[in-house]
Amino acid sequence: MIVGIGVDLVDVPRFEQQLARTPRLLARLFAPAERLLKPRSLAARYAAKEALIKALGGSDGVYWTDIEVTPEPSGRPAFTLSGETAATVSARGITALHLSMSHDAALATAYVIAEAHTVATEPAREDPA
């Protein structure tokens, strides 16, 4: 069952300017392996992290550097969560996260769907009395 959807759009040149103005953002927003990427790829990952927070319904218990966007063997992007963020996502009953990212020209975008399994319950029965 889908329990959350998030989308985010980032202006790549503006994002690059922000990183240039505030170099500390790189360490605050990205996992060590992500910090080596080009700015347009960082912008898409920033959008992915923002979209994830929206899909989760807020940022309580979520830390930017606990969220890493990593490629699956097929090349499809996926989240690798660690620390308190992984615990928070698990505690919310989320069992799957789906991520789509794209960047073209001056824009980067990401879309996230959060899923949780539901527990089947028996339908309520009327009391025959």
Side-chain angles (χ1 to χ4, degrees):
M1 172 170 69
I2 293 174
V3 294
I5 299 172
V7 65
D8 198 64
L9 182 67
V10 175
D11 180 300
V12 175
R14 184 173 170 218
F15 182 77
E16 288 181 70
Q17 290 170 356
Q18 200 63 19
L19 286 177
R21 262 194 311 263
T22 314
R24 293 184 319 253
L25 284 178
L26 201 60
R28 284 181 36 210
L29 299 175
F30 299 103
E34 293 175 314
R35 296 175 199 159
L36 305 173
L37 299 171
K38 294 179 181 181
R40 71 172 189 226
S41 293
L42 290 174
R45 281 161 174 74
Y46 178 82
K49 294 176 185 201
E50 281 282 346
L52 174 62
I53 289 168
K54 292 172 183 174
L56 295 175
S59 62
D60 290 345
V62 177
Y63 296 90
W64 289 87
T65 56
D66 286 353
I67 305 166
E68 185 174 358
V69 176
T70 55
E72 292 181 346
S74 67
R76 183 179 125 184
F79 289 112
T80 299
L81 305 177
S82 61
E84 191 169 333
T85 300
T88 297
V89 169
S90 179
R92 293 183 186 178
I94 295 170
T95 56
L97 293 168
H98 305 279
L99 169 62
S100 180
M101 298 185 326
S102 184
H103 49 74
D104 186 31
L107 297 174
T109 189
Y111 190 85
V112 174
I113 297 173
E115 283 189 276
H117 288 288
T118 58
V119 178
T121 58
E122 289 186 37
R125 295 185 183 169
E126 289 186 32
D127 188 4

